[in-house]
Amino acid sequence: MDNMEIVRKPTVINKKFKIKDSWFWGYLFISPIALGIAIFSIRAIFYSFFTSLTEWDGLTPAIFTGFKNFAELFSDRQVGREFLNTMYYTVFTVPISLVLSLLLANALNQNIPGKTIYRVIYFLPSVTMPVAIAIVWQWLFNSKYGIVNQFIQIFGIKGPMWLGDVNYIMPAIIIVSVWSSIGYNMVILLAGLQGIPSVYYEAAEIDGANKWIRFIKITIPMLTPTIFFIFITSLINAFKAFDIIFMFAGANSNTQGPLLEATRTMVFGVYEKGFTFLRMGYASAEAVLLFVIIAVVTALQFAFQKKWVHYE
Amino acid sequence: MKKRIFSIISLMLVVMFLIAGCGGTGSSSGGQKGGEVSDPKDLKANLNFYYWDENQKPGMDKIVEAFNKIYPNVKITSTVIPWAQYWTKMQTSLPTSSAPDIFWLNAAHFQEYQKAGLLYDIQQFVDRDKVDLSIFPDSLKQLYSADGKLYSIPKDFDTIALFYNKELFDKAGVKYPDDTWTWDDLLNAAKKLTITDANGNITQYGFVATSGGQTCTYDWILANGGQILSEDKMKSVINTPESKEALQFLYDLMYVHKVSPTGAEQKETDPEKLFHSGTIAMMPHGSWFVPPAFEALGDKVDVAPLPKQKQRGNVIHGLGFTMSAKTKYPEAAWQFLKFCATKEAGEYQAGVVIPASKGAEEVWMKSYPSMNLKVFIDATEYAIPIPRAAKGASGADTVFENEMQNIWLQAKDVATALADCEKGMNDEIAKGK
């Protein structure tokens, strides 16, 4: 008995201490980012909910106007166009980027010489400033001197004036966005690929499955949780498209006009309403609308995930 | 590999946060009471000074240096914020305690900021210290006055002229532009200066018709006897046969005579860059374009008055040194502005811009002896202050810009765009406060 007492006591203290220990250190470690998010994101989110109910120019005190901004929002034809532009951008950017990065990740998961170099090269656009990317691509897309049209010329086709034509400026933006998002998606998918146990492949190989069938029947289903993650994050990012558009259509000396009309996304609209036309309340209302759209789309994705996402 | 990339990313995030944290407001310590200071050495303050033009940094540094010889204990921290972010930054900082004490302002933003009470009324100081402001042209003081009160010390001014590349004129054997030129002379010269290669690609343009109001379209409309705004600036009167003729002329240069890059080509490649590289022979532009044009083309570039039609058309605009209403050190900030109102301060900037103070422009003209810069000074005689609606001005400007782009990109014909422009501008003016 005596002996047991002695043994039991320290374990209890130890257990208590351990819990306190891990909780304390856990919170300590996440506190910098949690504080940052609380101050710069969460507070701002709630503030914009409030602002959306006011008429505010950012300079003088806000006037509460209720849902007036939202009423205007739904009758504003420009906002409708912004929504369509956002959808156009999203519908092309997300699937193309996903498929290409999946193929790329699969290729770079093989044992090919110099694969680390390739991975770094493909990842580089993700750590490059979007503004720098846009400036370089502006030159590549130049119809007279740009490398893109010189390449197309090889096939005897006269390339379009990418950045000066309302029909081609959005495809140009989509190309750049896909190019710059592939690297990040690829790294996540690579991690997913490396998590697939090799026993499945070995078993399939013995059963006589070729490379293609193994990719379709094993790789893809086993990757669905990773693909699901990428799908959600890149969809949210696509809804928030701004920087490349700002550089291609909005940052020149002559910012307005049909080209911006063809590319102005909702986030661009928010920016313009808030900081160019000084209508913070109206801009916030559009931001809230975008928030609702993203929330609904994401909720739908979670609802449908049971149909296609396989967890081990 | 994966882990390493994540650790690199997280490291970068940490660095970014650190930089963002450090980039906040400059520290300001100590307080200061109003009233005049007898000994300049007793005036102590920390002032933040924002402006946007990197080219003018040497001039601004010289002003600060000279000011500090008189007021050694006023510390001035200058920050150059690029044009693309300048007004966004102003918009977010001016209403808060992190507002800069002194900053550059342009006429386009004066009205909104003044009405929102963000600008310090310096008239009281001007009266107290009996500052002689007669060295500044009235048109510039008007740009920054409201209800009879002055809010800015005029800094510089700019007018528009025709820049041309002498080398391209010599090669084509065309006479340089002079003050007798009309639109027809411009068109004839532009045709001779436009070169097409064997494949039918245009390799050199005689002229560039830009859609910018200040540097091109306003001036052309004015030269043809048109107007942009009514006398009291409460109405757009742009939809007239005169305006239509002027814009049609510019449109034809691009799409009929093909002597100018089209609107789409201008969107693709900045016309300024084409001029710098000797691909465009003539370009209408403002006096602030003198330093970059000279840097790119040296003594090959010169300027002539804009060609006239029914009359001469030109717009004048200028910047102002302005104090924030939120400044903690009004006295020190005012003393700095007062120093900026001297001819000496004007001369420090003369290497780059035309100083607003009379007499100091001589220094500017001498800094580029190879160019006939008197053209810009002469233009002040007939130039009108840049057209700005009395209210709803930024909305009206946006409408104008939008409709010009519609013409330049062939989305609307000139007549439709002008009708929509006048209506749209008037709607914005009516909506404005």
Side-chain angles (χ1 to χ4, degrees):
Chain A
M1 280 299 267
D2 262 352
N3 224 1
M4 279 187 80
E5 282 269 341
I6 294 161
V7 173
R8 214 179 61 199
K9 253 189 180 169
T11 41
V12 171
I13 293 165
N14 217 358
K15 206 177 168 191
K16 265 190 183 166
F17 183 67
K18 253 187 186 168
I19 288 167
K20 192 192 161 201
D21 208 14
S22 58
W23 278 83
F24 174 74
W25 288 106
Y27 280 119
L28 187 74
F29 283 139
I30 63 160
S31 63
I33 192 82
L35 263 173
I37 289 173
I39 294 169
F40 295 111
S41 298
I42 297 179
R43 193 188 63 131
I45 288 168
F46 282 103
Y47 195 64
S48 82
F49 280 132
F50 165 72
T51 310
S52 71
L53 302 174
T54 64
E55 187 76 56
W56 184 41
D57 62 4
L59 307 169
T60 45
I63 303 158
F64 188 81
T65 54
F67 288 93
K68 199 172 142 245
N69 286 328
F70 289 93
E72 188 182 343
L73 205 58
F74 286 105
S75 58
D76 190 338
R77 280 181 60 194
Q78 189 182 307
V79 175
R81 184 70 204 265
E82 284 165 14
F83 174 73
L84 290 180
N85 285 339
T86 310
M87 292 310 288
Y88 178 9
Y89 174 88
T90 307
V91 162
F92 283 94
T93 311
V94 174
I96 295 175
S97 170
L98 187 60
V99 170
L100 289 181
S101 45
L102 183 58
L103 294 176
L104 208 60
N106 201 45
L108 291 181
N109 199 29
Q110 322 289 327
N111 254 332
I112 49 169
K115 65 177 176 183
T116 321
I117 302 280
Y118 284 115
R119 285 176 190 176
V120 170
I121 289 172
Y122 285 113
F123 190 71
L124 272 180
S126 307
V127 289
T128 310
M129 292 215 325
V131 175
I133 288 174
I135 288 173
V136 172
W137 274 95
Q138 260 168 345
W139 280 107
L140 299 182
F141 274 129
N142 190 291
S143 62
K144 271 190 186 160
Y145 318 103
I147 205 166
V148 174
N149 276 10
Q150 278 173 17
F151 176 75
I152 297 174
Q153 194 87 49
I154 297 172
F155 306 102
I157 306 163
K158 195 175 183 299
M161 194 179 282
W162 292 95
L163 303 183
D165 189 323
V166 285
N167 297 317
Y168 284 97
I169 187 161
M170 192 56 126
I173 288 168
I174 289 170
I175 290 172
V176 179
S177 303
V178 167
W179 174 81
S180 55
S181 65
I182 281 180
Y184 175 79
N185 291 349
M186 180 198 75
V187 168
I188 311 267
L189 285 167
L190 265 175
L193 282 171
Q194 280 159 8
I196 302 175
S198 57
V199 287
Y200 295 118
Y201 291 109
E202 284 155 14
E205 218 172 337
I206 290 163
D207 289 343
N210 64 24
K211 259 191 166 174
W212 177 243
I213 291 175
R214 269 180 280 160
F215 180 70
I216 294 291
K217 299 275 185 189
I218 298 170
T219 311
I220 299 276
M222 293 296 286
L223 263 185
T224 45
T226 318
I227 293 173
F228 180 61
F229 168 77
I230 289 176
F231 203 57
I232 286 185
T233 52
S234 48
L235 210 69
I236 292 173
N237 276 331
F239 275 117
K240 297 194 304 185
F242 176 78
D243 34 33
I244 307 278
I245 295 158
F246 179 79
M247 290 302 293
F248 276 15
N252 267 333
S253 49
N254 34 11
T255 50
Q256 294 297 315
L259 285 173
L260 186 58
E261 201 74 3
T263 50
R264 191 194 274 118
T265 51
M266 291 185 77
V267 174
F268 197 99
V270 171
Y271 162 78
E272 207 180 47
K273 287 177 185 75
F275 292 105
T276 308
F277 303 121
L278 309 186
R279 299 192 60 193
M280 293 293 172
Y282 194 40
S284 300
E286 188 172 1
V288 170
L289 177 68
L290 183 63
F291 172 83
V292 172
I293 293 173
I294 292 177
V296 168
V297 170
T298 309
L300 283 176
Q301 279 179 287
F302 270 100
F304 283 111
Q305 66 156 325
K306 287 188 201 90
K307 302 229 186 260
W308 63 280
V309 179
H310 305 276
Y311 292 101
E312 263 184 282
Chain B
M1 178 68 202
K2 193 182 87 194
K3 263 188 189 163
R4 203 172 292 169
I5 282 173
F6 281 125
S7 60
I8 288 170
I9 294 171
S10 47
L11 192 71
M12 281 180 2
L13 281 173
V14 169
V15 172
M16 262 162 54
F17 271 111
L18 284 177
I19 292 170
C22 297
T25 54
S27 63
S28 47
S29 59
Q32 176 218 341
K33 287 189 181 99
E36 235 175 321
V37 180
S38 47
D39 185 359
K41 285 194 178 59
D42 291 345
L43 192 62
K44 290 191 184 110
N46 283 320
L47 300 178
N48 275 311
F49 176 28
Y50 286 6
Y51 56 95
W52 64 74
D53 190 357
E54 187 71 44
N55 287 328
Q56 297 196 43
K57 195 173 186 315
M60 291 304 114
D61 288 348
K62 270 188 212 154
I63 293 178
V64 170
E65 201 183 304
F67 175 76
N68 274 341
K69 280 197 185 124
I70 311 170
Y71 295 99
N73 293 320
V74 177
K75 191 173 169 282
I76 297 179
T77 313
S78 306
T79 312
V80 181
I81 298 164
W83 172 258
Q85 288 107 51
Y86 191 79
W87 301 108
T88 313
K89 175 85 184 167
M90 283 296 153
Q91 174 74 12
T92 47
S93 71
L94 275 181
T96 69
S97 58
S98 65
D101 304 278
I102 316 154
F103 59 97
W104 287 6
L105 184 63
N106 69 0
H109 293 82
F110 170 69
Q111 191 193 92
E112 273 149 6
Y113 289 3
Q114 190 270 331
K115 280 194 177 141
L118 300 174
L119 309 180
Y120 208 100
D121 161 22
I122 60 171
Q123 189 67 44
Q124 40 179 319
F125 290 125
V126 171
D127 295 342
R128 187 193 74 188
D129 295 0
K130 299 181 184 61
V131 184
D132 176 25
L133 293 176
S134 66
I135 61 165
F136 299 114
D138 286 338
S139 57
L140 294 178
K141 280 180 278 187
Q142 275 163 23
L143 282 176
Y144 297 102
S145 297
D147 312 323
K149 284 177 185 160
L150 188 70
Y151 287 87
S152 288
I153 293 293
K155 178 187 166 303
D156 55 29
F157 74 84
D158 44 68
T159 53
I160 314 301
L162 185 68
F163 285 74
Y164 63 96
N165 187 325
K166 286 196 269 187
E167 194 181 41
L168 304 183
F169 273 76
D170 291 343
K171 266 190 210 156
V174 181
K175 221 174 110 247
Y176 298 153
D178 56 41
D179 59 0
T180 64
W181 269 33
T182 61
W183 289 0
D184 286 337
D185 297 314
L186 177 83
L187 175 59
N188 286 333
K191 278 180 179 164
K192 285 179 202 149
L193 286 159
T194 301
I195 299 172
T196 311
D197 71 4
N199 301 327
N201 294 323
I202 298 171
T203 54
Q204 180 186 311
Y205 288 101
F207 182 73
V208 59
T210 59
S211 65
Q214 189 184 2
T215 53
C216 189
T217 44
Y218 288 163
D219 309 283
W220 250 257
I221 290 172
L222 292 167
N224 206 33
Q227 281 293 340
I228 290 88
L229 294 169
S230 62
E231 199 72 28
D232 61 358
K233 313 250 182 294
M234 289 297 284
K235 219 171 144 263
S236 168
V237 292
I238 200 169
N239 190 13
T240 56
E242 287 83 14
S243 308
K244 183 173 174 276
E245 205 182 351
L247 295 178
Q248 191 67 50
F249 175 79
L250 292 170
Y251 175 88
D252 289 350
L253 291 177
M254 291 185 280
Y255 293 102
V256 177
H257 307 298
K258 299 193 192 324
V259 294
S260 158
T262 62
E265 283 170 277
Q266 292 178 40
K267 263 291 191 194
E268 227 183 26
T269 319
D270 192 342
E272 288 180 7
K273 293 201 181 94
L274 295 177
F275 185 79
H276 290 332
S277 64
T279 313
I280 292 176
M282 292 180 277
M283 178 173 191
H285 216 310
S287 44
W288 65 90
F289 189 56
V290 167
F294 184 82
E295 199 177 302
L297 295 164
D299 51 17
K300 285 188 281 186
V301 66
D302 206 345
V303 288
L306 290 178
K308 61 188 174 198
Q309 187 65 358
K310 288 180 184 154
Q311 59 190 50
R312 292 200 176 279
N314 213 312
V315 290
I316 183 170
H317 173 246
L319 306 177
F321 289 108
T322 313
M323 280 163 68
S324 156
K326 293 264 181 188
T327 180
K328 290 189 200 80
Y329 310 99
E331 184 61 34
W334 161 246
Q335 290 302 336
F336 182 72
L337 253 61
K338 195 165 127 188
F339 184 77
C340 290
T342 59
K343 197 179 156 198
E344 183 190 356
E347 284 169 359
Y348 288 133
Q349 310 170 50
V352 185
V353 292
I354 317 174
S357 43
K358 277 177 198 145
E361 75 261 16
E362 300 284 335
V363 182
W364 178 69
M365 279 157 63
K366 279 182 203 130
S367 31
Y368 299 93
S370 66
M371 292 168 85
N372 181 22
L373 296 181
K374 202 169 163 296
V375 166
F376 291 107
I377 315 292
D378 291 345
T380 57
E381 280 162 33
Y382 52 85
I384 64 157
I386 190 164
R388 293 279 301 166
K391 44 186 205 129
S394 58
D397 282 359
T398 306
V399 169
F400 176 83
E401 212 178 300
N402 201 6
E403 296 303 339
M404 291 305 118
Q405 280 295 309
N406 278 329
I407 298 174
W408 256 248
L409 293 168
Q410 293 182 292
K412 281 181 189 173
D413 63 49
V414 175
T416 318
L418 268 178
D420 292 351
C421 184
E422 182 170 303
K423 195 186 163 296
M425 283 177 84
N426 281 331
D427 287 349
E428 291 297 329
I429 294 171
K431 264 197 280 174
K433 273 177 249 168

